[in-house]
Amino acid sequence: ADFVLVWETIPWELSGQQDSHENGGLQETSATIHRAWRKKFLDKLHAAGIHMEKHMTRMEKKVVHYLLLSAPWSVLCYYAEELQLRVPLQVLPRQTSNWSARVLRRLGIPNLMAQEVPNLPLDYYTCPFKANKLHWFLGSDEKDTFFSTTQRHQILYEILATTQYGHSREWEMGVDQLLSENVFTAAFPLHEARHHHPPGSHAAASAAPPASPSPTPCLSLQGPYKPRPEELAAGSLSQRQVLFQYWASWGKWTKYQPLDHIRKYFGEKVAFYFAWLGFYTGWLLPAAVVGTVVFIVGIFLMFSDVPSQEVCASKEQYWMCPLCKTCPYWQLSKICSMFMAGRLFDHGGTIFFSIFMSLWAVLFLEFWKRTNASLAYHWDCSEFEDIEERPRPQFMATAPMTIINPITGAKEPYFPKRSRLHRIMAGSMVIIMMIAIVVMFVVSIILYRAVAAIFLSSSGYFWFVASASRIASITGSVVNLIFILILSKIYISPAHFLTKWEMHRTQTKYEDAFTFKVFVFQFVTFYSSPVYIAFFKGKFVGYPGNYLSFLGVRNEECSPGGCFIELAQELLVIMVGKQIINNVQEVAIPKLKCWWHKHKLLSTKKAGKEGESILVEQSPWVMDHQLLVFEGLFDEYLEMGRDWPWVLQFGFITIFVVACPLAPLFALLNNLVEIRLDAHKFVCDYRRPVAERAEGIGIWLSILEAITHLAIISNAFLIAFTSDFLPRMYYEYIHNSSLHGYVNFTLAYAPWDFVLQSNTTCRFRAFRDRDGNLTLTYWQLLAICLGFIIVFEHVVFFIGRVIAWLVPDIPESVEVKVKRERYLAKEALAENKV
């Protein structure tokens, strides 16, 4: 069997015991309609030539029906031509596609990441299937194995998605619509059973008894993916067992992913996701190494830094102005440790690292395009264009009118473009309101930090007074993380609702619209607080005697150690905190769901007769039905299952990398865990998804390119306005190359008015004279900062353009192979063969 349809019914003896007559009548009516739709749908499938085999399982309060579907050879041939499925013409010599393997081989270094994976899928020259040219294709005499399992799934899904079931409207069609109406409870392709059989043979429908119970909750249910010792020794593993053994197990976390096996089992769309994730993680390695070196250099510089030594040795030399109305005057020497910690992140090395990461991002995307092109060719989807995409079932069910499709000439549902535009505009207003709520949360956190700092400073406890701004800042970061987690969860539902309401005709347009909404919202939620700290905090404070306030609270100043250390702390709390929470959720939630499914299975066992219960546990379709529903790849791309977006992670390690050189290292460690967690979910916890074809990672590439451009601009502004790098350079060249006296240079004296009022002279960080006016030094530094931004952006963008020009998107070897394949296809399909 290739596909399974599942539905549930209430046995006759229980159907009379309803809560009330009225409720029972309604349920009976809907059950009658569902029965009629199901009968018509299955009759049409039978008329289309689909083979069916029915099984039933009796539970305590319901009967579960399993219908196993398989398509005969004639149906497969018809739809293979209709869907333009590509089939093999000639075996291709296999070439390694890992750039790291090639580099290590040239350097003569043993490759610890390589692994020998059994049952390696062969590589072929292919062309679209033509039934009348069958004898030209490889393996055409083996009808059971000629079409791959994933191709058979695609064909069956195409039939299921286009079969009508209703009387009233032409577009009452498709299994998706029936699933949403609860006529069927599930429809999925079968995972491979324990012993490998040719697809379509009936042996594939039966499985060996499950593996012995194990501490992992799901293993007793899904024995077929765990190889037995004798199978491992003999090498007679099924495709799913190979994936479990060589990909989803923790022992292989340092090895290359078997991408060809993933593509053969799950299809191109899933394979591209893992190819992307593996490529990105591989490229994080050099970034993590350079970042760690920069961090270690920062530690050494911290102890030899002249301004830091001046601050620590100043004793009572610099009395600083109060940080709030009720706060005391304080000595600069008290912030010695914080000032030194600021030097960890704010030195010449981080400037080099920001340029390195900007170019890294450009290079990374250019080389991903090459890898994407190679994989797309290798997996036969380089020229993949969606067949005129079907309207979404939900669109077909709710569209208000019909129109003749100019391409197919058939009548189909239609929603006016003008109405859709109005709905998109209205939806945008809702999104803007949601973003305004996020901004309000950020403002409330800013006010919380300011009020908490004032409260702690005036508390009278020495420890609280000394660390007031630090405590307020750290607790603010934690509160911000909690807000992010809550808002991310809340927003998904309205985004789904708005995207459905906008009535997008095809699934691709629907997914693109949904992706854009969620990405914009997540982007604002995640980055608003770091952006505030990086670019706005401490910039609009005023000066003693003339402080600026917001909502009655004095504007926040940077902590005495500077805003850079705060930004680093904010990034670490969000990145590391979020990664830990998500990985715990990724492990725990599937396990809990598996436990619940297992619990339900055991209750089935009690309900049935003894002989029946053994049958239930053996049937692969029952075991697959217990698995979690695959919800699509959107969650994996944006949320990685638990709204930790690798797209946003990419933003953190490029946009704010100046403030946290260790960010790529944390991202690398997270992704090494993430790949295996996701692999385990796909192999063990999820039902098998219908294989989808794809040419790459889709709309995400455009989003990543936008983030790369944003990162270059952001790094320029961070260095110019948040870092101390340019003021230090200015002082070094104009005043003293050893930086002696730099601390005094950055501190202004409180204006005369303030001194007369308070009867005390104090210092504050600014370039102002004794009347509170900005000095010439301030304007000179501002000019230097603006000049630096322009030069930095132009140089990095120019180098990026040169890299893009030097690295062609499609490798030359791939272009040659494409031409060779076209030639072979032309030869095979030529009408007049002599």
Side-chain angles (χ1 to χ4, degrees), residues 383-620:
E383 292 179 2
F384 165 66
E385 286 174 16
D386 259 327
I387 321 111
E388 177 56 21
E389 207 176 345
R390 265 193 320 277
R392 291 171 59 243
Q394 291 85 345
F395 175 80
M396 293 161 77
T398 51
M401 56 178 83
T402 56
I403 195 171
I404 301 290
N405 184 321
I407 295 164
T408 60
K411 213 181 208 187
E412 67 169 45
Y414 176 71
F415 190 77
K417 280 185 182 170
R418 196 182 182 85
S419 305
R420 182 177 297 124
L421 191 64
H422 289 162
R423 288 191 176 192
I424 290 171
M425 296 291 281
S428 304
M429 292 299 109
V430 175
I431 293 163
I432 290 166
M433 279 167 58
M434 294 289 288
I435 289 172
I437 292 169
V438 174
V439 173
M440 281 161 56
F441 273 122
V442 173
V443 169
S444 66
I445 289 168
I446 293 166
L447 292 173
Y448 160 80
R449 275 201 295 251
V451 171
I454 293 167
F455 178 74
L456 290 167
S457 297
S458 53
S459 66
Y461 293 105
F462 173 75
W463 189 78
F464 281 155
V465 173
S467 316
S469 66
R470 200 181 324 162
I471 295 167
S473 169
I474 290 169
T475 52
S477 298
V478 173
V479 171
N480 184 46
L481 175 61
I482 294 164
F483 275 154
I484 286 173
L485 290 167
I486 295 168
L487 287 172
S488 300
K489 287 276 177 286
I490 292 170
Y491 182 69
I492 297 291
S493 299
H496 260 304
F497 173 78
L498 285 173
T499 315
K500 277 179 191 161
W501 184 62
E502 285 167 8
M503 296 290 287
H504 295 280
R505 181 178 166 273
T506 61
Q507 189 62 26
T508 305
K509 284 181 179 158
Y510 175 87
E511 281 181 11
D512 285 355
F514 180 60
T515 299
F516 183 72
K517 280 184 192 61
V518 178
F519 175 73
V520 166
F521 182 78
Q522 298 267 41
F523 191 85
V524 174
T525 311
F526 273 82
Y527 292 153
S528 48
S529 188
V531 162
Y532 162 72
I533 293 171
F535 302 117
F536 299 103
K537 189 175 180 180
K539 303 289 187 289
F540 309 100
V541 179
Y543 55 90
N546 186 23
Y547 283 117
L548 305 174
S549 63
F550 175 68
L551 298 177
V553 178
R554 198 171 110 184
N555 285 356
E556 266 195 304
E557 289 189 47
C558 287
S559 66
C563 270
F564 234 57
I565 187 89
E566 276 193 65
L567 180 58
Q569 166 202 303
E570 185 81 5
L571 293 180
L572 284 172
V573 168
I574 294 176
M575 263 190 86
V576 179
K578 195 103 175 52
Q579 287 176 357
I580 290 167
I581 289 166
N582 287 326
N583 287 334
V584 168
Q585 282 181 309
E586 291 236 339
V587 171
I589 289 175
K591 292 282 169 274
L592 286 171
K593 285 183 177 175
C594 277
W595 173 83
W596 176 243
H597 285 313
K598 183 185 180 186
H599 173 74
K600 284 202 291 191
L601 190 74
L602 292 176
S603 72
T604 314
K605 200 170 168 180
K606 285 172 203 154
K609 300 185 199 81
E610 187 133 356
E612 192 182 356
S613 73
I614 297 164
L615 177 76
V616 167
E617 212 161 345
Q618 279 187 358
S619 309

Side-chain angles (χ1 to χ4, degrees), residues 641-663:
R642 298 276 165 272
D643 54 44
W644 172 242
W646 58 250
V647 179
L648 295 180
Q649 185 201 76
F650 181 81
F652 273 117
I653 65 162
T654 51
I655 294 175
F656 299 111
V657 76
V658 190
C660 192
L662 289 179

Side-chain angles (χ1 to χ4, degrees), residues 569-746:
Q569 166 202 303
E570 185 81 5
L571 293 180
L572 284 172
V573 168
I574 294 176
M575 263 190 86
V576 179
K578 195 103 175 52
Q579 287 176 357
I580 290 167
I581 289 166
N582 287 326
N583 287 334
V584 168
Q585 282 181 309
E586 291 236 339
V587 171
I589 289 175
K591 292 282 169 274
L592 286 171
K593 285 183 177 175
C594 277
W595 173 83
W596 176 243
H597 285 313
K598 183 185 180 186
H599 173 74
K600 284 202 291 191
L601 190 74
L602 292 176
S603 72
T604 314
K605 200 170 168 180
K606 285 172 203 154
K609 300 185 199 81
E610 187 133 356
E612 192 182 356
S613 73
I614 297 164
L615 177 76
V616 167
E617 212 161 345
Q618 279 187 358
S619 309
W621 47 89
V622 176
M623 287 151 68
D624 281 9
H625 187 217
Q626 308 301 325
L627 300 181
L628 312 182
V629 180
F630 175 69
E631 299 284 1
L633 268 173
F634 175 83
D635 283 354
E636 302 305 324
Y637 273 116
L638 184 76
E639 303 174 20
M640 281 190 160
R642 298 276 165 272
D643 54 44
W644 172 242
W646 58 250
V647 179
L648 295 180
Q649 185 201 76
F650 181 81
F652 273 117
I653 65 162
T654 51
I655 294 175
F656 299 111
V657 76
V658 190
C660 192
L662 289 179
L665 178 67
F666 290 125
L668 173 70
L669 296 173
N670 175 73
N671 290 7
L672 288 171
V673 174
E674 190 67 54
I675 288 174
R676 303 304 149 179
L677 280 178
D678 279 353
H680 193 274
K681 281 195 303 187
F682 272 89
V683 175
C684 311
D685 299 336
Y686 282 162
R687 289 176 195 159
R688 190 172 181 176
V690 178
E692 287 183 72
R693 300 192 73 200
E695 270 186 284
I697 58 171
I699 192 174
W700 296 109
L701 191 61
S702 312
I703 289 174
L704 290 168
E705 285 177 333
I707 288 177
T708 302
H709 286 122
L710 199 61
I712 295 169
I713 296 163
S714 163
N715 281 325
F717 275 88
L718 270 172
I719 295 164
F721 291 113
T722 310
S723 162
D724 253 1
F725 178 70
L726 291 177
R728 280 171 179 255
M729 294 284 285
Y730 173 84
Y731 185 81
E732 217 172 300
Y733 283 104
I734 303 292
H735 298 286
N736 187 334
S737 61
S738 68
L739 283 176
H740 282 291
Y742 174 75
V743 175
N744 189 46
F745 165 73
T746 60

Side-chain angles (χ1 to χ4, degrees), residues 161-176:
T162 51
T163 300
Q164 290 183 5
Y165 61 83
H167 300 276
S168 54
R169 293 189 290 181
E170 279 185 38
W171 50 89
E172 281 187 338
M173 65 154 95
V175 73
D176 292 329

Side-chain angles (χ1 to χ4, degrees), residues 109-182:
I109 299 169
N111 188 357
L112 299 174
M113 295 176 286
Q115 62 170 342
E116 284 292 318
V117 185
N119 306 346
L120 193 64
L122 288 169
D123 207 359
Y124 300 103
Y125 284 119
T126 62
C127 73
F129 179 76
K130 287 269 189 293
N132 59 352
K133 303 286 178 191
L134 184 65
H135 60 284
W136 283 106
F137 300 120
L138 275 186
S140 54
D141 45 344
E142 293 285 331
K143 292 185 178 178
D144 273 350
T145 55
F146 179 69
F147 292 109
S148 69
T149 322
T150 47
Q151 284 177 333
R152 300 166 81 94
H153 294 167
Q154 282 170 303
I155 289 169
L156 267 158
Y157 183 71
E158 176 68 20
I159 296 168
L160 290 170
T162 51
T163 300
Q164 290 183 5
Y165 61 83
H167 300 276
S168 54
R169 293 189 290 181
E170 279 185 38
W171 50 89
E172 281 187 338
M173 65 154 95
V175 73
D176 292 329
Q177 188 63 27
L178 287 170
L179 285 168
S180 65
E181 298 276 0
N182 287 325

